[in-house]
Amino acid sequence: MTAFFALIKRDLRLAFREGGALGTALGFFVVVVALMPLGLGPDLKLLSRIASGVLWIALLLSALLSLGRMFETDYEDGSLDVLATGAVPLELVAAAKSIAHWLSTGIPLAVLAPILGILLNLDLAAFPMLVAAMLIGTPAVSFLGAVGAALTLKARRGGLLLALIVLPLYIPTLIFGISALSAALGPDAAGGSASSLMILTAISLVAAVLGPVAAAAALRIQLH
Amino acid sequence: MQIIAENLAIDRGGRTVIDGLSFTVPSGETLVLSGSNGAGKTTLLRAVAAFLPLTRGSIRLEDGDGEKSLSEQAHVVGHANAAKANLTVAENLAFWSRFLASKPPSGGRVAAALEHFGLAGLADFPVAFLSAGQRRRAGLARLLAVDRPIWLLDEPTASLDAASSDLLSRAVNLHTHAGGIAIVATHLPLALDRARELNLDKLRHAA
Amino acid sequence: MQSWTQRLANPTRFMQVSGTLLPWVAAAAAALIAYGLYLVFFVAPPDYQQGETVKIMYIHVPSAWLALMTYGLIAISSFGLLVFRHPLADVSAKAAAPIGAAFTLLALITGSLWGKPMWGTYWVWDARLTSVLILFFLYLGLMALRSSLDDEGTAAKLTAVLALVGTAILPIIKFSVEWWNTLHQPSTNFTSTVDPSMRWPLLIMAVGFTLLFIAMHLAAMRNEVLRRRVKALRLQEAASRDGLPAHASAAE
């Protein structure tokens, strides 16, 4: 497992040292959310009603932005070949890189979300649930995103293609992420949210198994 | 220990690049792949590393570590250096040591590897600050930092001057004298002991 | 003893068998669809609620069925390619994708036309329509991925990986869309029961459409096999026309 953790640590170190990717993703998150009131009008009631959906969609788009580079830099500088000869199989390489992506992108986005919630007049009572649902849901974003990143590694129009491939796979996470929030604001706050969070956990677990296996298969095909 | 390739055929993009090739590389020997651009040197090296599927034939390692595949016992050096520009030379090397050996690196080995390739003074500089030749040496240093019995080197002397090429030749010779195996694709003649040449152009003409 | 799939795996054999089969399947599809349309327009009664608009159902339901079936076929072909390296598996998957996407689009359009008199609008975020829309996105993803990769072998295998991932996720998507739908609107389940007088024409149409799909799929597979042969011949010719001796044309 030394190899596995070494890779997570390296990717985190690169993410924070390069800084640009995270900054861009966070900046994008803020801008997309800020555009909403400008497009829809400053009606606070309307904004508070659609806030959870806007935040989740903006989060998915922001995470998508940084996914494209997940394997690309390693492919360009020859590291991918060496990663393929490591002491751990490529499945674990893909898992480690997904975890690093979650730690360096998913968590910062989830933590930033409540601040943007204020801009959208989201009910303060929903804030803990917002962060909880995003923290539980975003692993699926990274693990499924890894599949898209691996599949589009050598593709022309990689970025657009990645969005087309990956966004439909995010629909379950989106639906249950939002449903956890609307349940938290409804009459049966505890019960409704708990079941949504449970399903969100299940989706992330399925993604954590499926994603690395599929991403490794895609990478192996492209080592050719 | 020896690598045995029998009756290989390898296709790339619908073309048969290598057909009917057999060779053996025993412990302590270097196989030098030569031939013009497109003769299939890179293809053959990637097939030995199990990156490419074989259309026909087999490549196997005899008397190696039975629990590991050939590629897990091999160092691959490609055209790119596999060194991150934003990490220092030492950080890059420490990462590959951990990743390839799956145990914490011994400081002595990493330092010795840097020393051999004349990078001791540059250890704490980000790779981004290095010249092309220095980066190449930073990429090659992992050969010495992690102990693996098989070296698969693709044009390792690219962007190296004569003195640096000598450092590489010495590293390969030390490796083979210690019982290792090396397969090197190169344009330039290198001062390698116990080396045999396999010219892929001649193979083509024979076929 | 070879199984029939192994014998058909030989593309030459496939071309022979499919060549004989194709006109018959096409003729049967045409006959069944013609008979089905006759039943739909002259025999089947109008619905007591929906009137004549119910006739759209006879196109919509078979299209929706084929949209799903084709994705299943692509998934099986992809599995055949990745696991058994069946030489025709990718030909099948590649040929099926645009046809499946076309039937999915047809199901969406007919669904929306059918909905207009009922809902008063062309599009309602009904669970079923939404799921079909997402299925359409998955088809688009498959075709876009294939078309943006240069090497055909790599494109085939990567598309197969994506198809299998889609197959694994599709039930989860379906489940979440249904959950989402019940959350936002009280159940509007409009396809209650189909009257026996409508069931027979619907069945004829469904079988006719399936045969139509098989005919189109066979024809598309034949085209693909021929296209690959032409490409192989041209590659050979390109190699033989090179002025330099032997090796010079090969890829590194």
Side-chain angles (χ1 to χ4, degrees):
Chain A
M1 290 319 265
T2 311
F4 182 75
F5 291 114
L7 182 55
I8 296 180
K9 208 173 128 196
R10 182 200 70 161
D11 269 25
L12 286 179
R13 186 179 275 175
L14 283 172
F16 291 112
R17 202 165 290 181
E18 287 167 3
L22 176 62
T24 314
L26 291 176
F28 184 81
F29 194 30
V30 176
V31 170
V32 170
V33 171
L35 278 182
M36 287 296 156
L38 296 175
L40 298 166
D43 175 357
L44 289 182
K45 265 205 194 100
L46 172 70
L47 289 178
S48 109
R49 206 156 55 83
I50 61 170
S52 57
V54 170
L55 288 174
W56 262 104
I57 292 173
L59 175 133
L60 292 182
L61 295 177
S62 315
L64 197 64
L65 207 63
S66 52
L67 274 175
R69 302 290 286 164
M70 193 190 271
F71 299 109
E72 203 177 43
T73 47
D74 283 325
Y75 169 63
E76 283 165 358
D77 69 16
S79 298
L80 194 59
D81 286 350
V82 188
L83 289 174
T85 62
V88 292
L90 264 180
E91 281 77 7
L92 286 181
V93 169
K97 292 189 75 74
S98 306
I99 291 170
H101 180 262
W102 178 63
L103 292 171
S104 65
T105 311
I107 290 181
L109 288 172
V111 170
L112 183 64
I115 300 168
L116 299 177
I118 295 172
L119 295 181
L120 294 176
N121 194 32
L122 181 70
D123 191 337
L124 283 177
F127 277 31
M129 186 49 64
L130 176 72
V131 178
M134 283 184 167
L135 286 178
I136 294 175
T138 40
V141 174
S142 296
F143 282 114
L144 292 176
V147 181
L151 285 172
T152 56
L153 186 59
K154 292 187 186 175
R156 281 173 267 126
R157 312 181 289 273
L160 289 176
L161 185 62
L162 178 66
L164 177 62
I165 286 176
V166 162
L167 284 176
L169 305 181
Y170 287 167
I171 290 169
T173 305
L174 176 67
I175 287 175
F176 287 102
I178 293 172
S179 122
L181 272 177
S182 36
L185 294 170
D188 174 27
S193 298
S195 62
S196 293
L197 285 188
M198 224 109 94
I199 298 172
L200 217 47
T201 312
I203 294 170
S204 283
L205 288 176
V206 169
V209 176
L210 181 69
V213 171
L219 291 177
R220 266 194 201 105
I221 290 164
Q222 291 172 101
L223 280 176
H224 291 186
Chain B
M1 189 176 63
Q2 57 183 348
I3 293 178
I4 301 173
E6 282 175 329
N7 198 22
L8 295 183
I10 309 166
D11 290 357
R12 297 210 67 180
R15 286 194 193 86
T16 303
V17 180
I18 286 175
D19 198 3
L21 173 65
S22 301
F23 60 83
T24 308
V25 197
S27 257
E29 259 194 30
T30 301
L31 182 69
V32 176
L33 304 177
S34 61
S36 51
N37 275 337
K41 302 188 294 283
T42 298
T43 302
L44 181 57
L45 275 174
R46 296 186 75 78
V48 175
F51 293 163
L52 280 178
L54 302 176
T55 311
R56 200 183 57 233
S58 68
I59 300 175
R60 61 178 201 278
L61 178 66
E62 248 177 30
D63 305 325
D65 182 340
E67 286 179 8
K68 290 182 184 166
S69 68
L70 193 158
S71 70
E72 281 171 65
Q73 301 175 57
H75 270 301
V76 291
V77 172
H79 297 161
N81 299 324
K84 294 286 172 195
N86 285 311
L87 298 182
T88 66
V89 175
E91 281 170 341
N92 268 300
L93 211 51
F95 163 68
W96 283 127
S97 303
R98 277 171 191 276
F99 183 81
L100 293 171
S102 205
K103 58 178 188 231
S106 76
R109 274 205 81 128
V110 171
L114 290 173
E115 186 67 47
H116 180 98
F117 283 101
L119 294 166
L122 292 169
D124 294 326
F125 283 89
V127 169
F129 292 9
L130 271 51
S131 72
Q134 290 167 335
R135 287 181 195 207
R136 190 64 181 161
R137 281 183 275 144
L140 291 169
R142 74 170 181 276
L143 293 170
L144 297 178
V146 181
D147 194 18
R148 288 196 163 196
I150 301 162
W151 289 10
L152 305 173
L153 314 180
D154 193 2
E155 298 294 351
T157 53
S159 60
L160 289 187
D161 54 24
S164 306
S165 293
D166 276 350
L167 291 179
L168 173 72
S169 307
R170 266 184 27 225
V172 174
N173 289 335
L174 283 173
H175 175 65
T176 48
H177 281 294
I181 290 177
I183 303 182
V184 186
T186 179
H187 276 103
L188 304 170
L190 283 170
L192 298 175
D193 307 340
R194 299 166 72 183
R196 273 189 308 126
E197 187 181 333
L198 176 64
N199 187 321
L200 294 175
D201 287 339
K202 285 184 188 143
L203 179 83
R204 286 245 167 169
H205 289 298
Chain C
M1 184 68 200
Q2 285 180 313
S3 72
W4 65 273
T5 47
Q6 281 170 326
R7 261 178 285 135
L8 267 183
N10 176 350
T12 314
R13 178 97 189 128
F14 167 79
M15 289 305 273
Q16 283 169 0
V17 173
S18 63
T20 335
L21 224 53
L22 187 55
W24 296 99
V25 178
L32 268 179
I33 291 176
Y35 178 54
L37 285 176
Y38 165 76
L39 289 181
V40 167
F41 282 102
F42 300 103
V43 181
D47 187 77
Y48 75 102
Q49 272 183 326
Q50 304 173 21
E52 296 292 342
T53 53
V54 78
K55 298 204 183 323
I56 299 173
M57 174 188 75
Y58 298 104
I59 305 286
H60 174 74
V61 173
S63 302
W65 144 247
L66 280 178
L68 264 183
M69 192 208 75
T70 308
Y71 201 88
L73 178 71
I74 292 175
I76 294 169
S77 303
S78 301
F79 189 76
L81 172 71
L82 292 179
V83 178
F84 302 112
R85 299 176 191 211
H86 196 293
L88 280 173
D90 177 53
V91 174
S92 162
K94 184 179 180 186
I99 308 176
F103 278 114
T104 314
L105 189 61
L106 198 59
L108 283 173
I109 294 172
T110 52
S112 125
L113 288 176
W114 191 13
K116 171 69 175 159
M118 280 173 56
W119 300 318
T121 171
Y122 283 111
W123 187 265
V124 165
W125 290 92
D126 151 83
R128 205 164 307 205
L129 273 181
T130 310
S131 298
V132 176
L133 181 65
I134 295 167
L135 183 62
F136 185 63
F137 293 154
L138 294 183
Y139 275 115
L140 286 186
L142 286 181
M143 292 192 291
L145 178 62
R146 189 186 287 277
S147 74
S148 61
L149 288 158
D150 290 320
D151 182 77
E152 286 193 38
T154 310
K157 288 184 210 143
L158 290 181
T159 312
V161 170
L162 179 60
L164 291 180
V165 170
T167 314
I169 299 278
L170 205 54
I172 306 177
I173 294 181
K174 180 103 176 79
F175 164 72
S176 17
V177 168
E178 267 158 22
W179 166 289
W180 163 81
N181 197 239
T182 51
L183 212 69
H184 289 268
Q185 61 188 84
S187 163
T188 53
N189 195 353
F190 66 92
T191 44
S192 36
T193 48
V194 179
D195 188 79
S197 62
M198 296 178 180
R199 210 176 283 159
W200 181 243
L202 185 58
L203 184 69
I204 299 275
M205 287 299 279
V207 175
F209 264 60
T210 309
L211 286 175
L212 174 67
F213 168 81
I214 294 173
M216 290 165 81
H217 188 226
L218 279 180
M221 281 178 75
R222 288 173 61 80
N223 284 343
E224 181 61 22
V225 169
L226 292 176
R227 196 189 61 78
R228 286 182 187 194
R229 279 188 191 166
V230 169
K231 191 183 172 193
L233 288 175
R234 287 185 59 93
L235 272 174
Q236 266 179 26
E237 198 181 335
S240 70
R241 282 196 188 184
D242 196 305
L244 292 170
H247 58 264
S249 64
E252 177 92 26

